[in-house]
Amino acid sequence: GGVLICMDFPDLFNAAAALSGDLDQTLMKEDNLMKGVYGSFDEHQDLWEGKDNPTTRVSEWRTPLYLGHGTRDHVVPVAQTKHFYKKLKEARPEIEVKLNLPDAGHDFNYWGAEVKPVLDFFEQKR
């Protein structure tokens, strides 16, 4: 959500963070949540690749970004964040993007551990 808000309102924040995010739904074509929102990929490819897909919109990115994802996340694959980071750095190398991939899962222990690093990143962008 935060990534899409930054894309739609690029001057709203000095920095943003995305943790454990599903940043390209086309990498999860069999995910029931994604299918419930967009319908099947084969029938609604335009929705899967459209304005709700941050990866297809990386050329629009303008906000310094902290990306974090636990490498033991069994809910949202860490490949989501790695793929978005790679595409973002290719499209917008001038934008600062910090990537943190700790040995962690998809849980409150991980997200709680990210509070200080995210706030430190934000503080640097004030």
Side-chain angles (χ1 to χ4, degrees):
V3 168
L4 290 174
I5 290 171
C6 284
M7 288 183 161
D8 289 341
F9 303 97
D11 298 319
L12 190 59
F13 300 109
N14 292 333
L19 304 176
S20 309
D22 50 348
L23 300 162
D24 185 349
Q25 52 268 40
T26 67
L27 300 178
M28 300 169 64
K29 293 177 185 155
E30 297 307 314
D31 183 85
N32 287 328
L33 176 62
M34 298 300 170
K35 290 192 297 189
V37 171
Y38 300 109
S40 74
F41 178 80
D42 293 335
E43 294 177 13
H44 302 284
Q45 185 174 350
D46 58 323
L47 297 177
W48 285 71
E49 296 174 343
K51 67 180 179 67
D52 291 349
N53 186 318
T55 301
T56 63
R57 298 177 59 191
V58 292
S59 64
E60 300 173 36
W61 194 261
R62 294 180 24 200
T63 308
L65 180 63
Y66 182 102
L67 286 172
H69 209 123
T71 59
R72 290 184 289 113
D73 188 330
H74 298 293
V75 177
V76 177
V78 68
Q80 285 282 324
T81 296
K82 288 179 178 180
H83 180 71
F84 185 70
Y85 175 80
K86 178 180 180 266
K87 293 296 185 181
L88 188 55
K89 293 305 284 181
E90 289 171 358
R92 301 302 308 264
E94 73 280 9
I95 305 284
E96 181 181 0
V97 182
K98 180 176 176 76
L99 179 64
N100 187 33
L101 303 174
D103 180 29
H106 190 94
D107 54 41
F108 290 108
N109 287 330
Y110 163 62
W111 299 315
E114 286 284 33
V115 171
K116 182 170 179 1
V118 167
L119 292 178
D120 288 346
F121 182 77
F122 289 169
E123 184 66 28
Q124 296 169 2
K125 305 301 166 235
R126 286 179 32 155

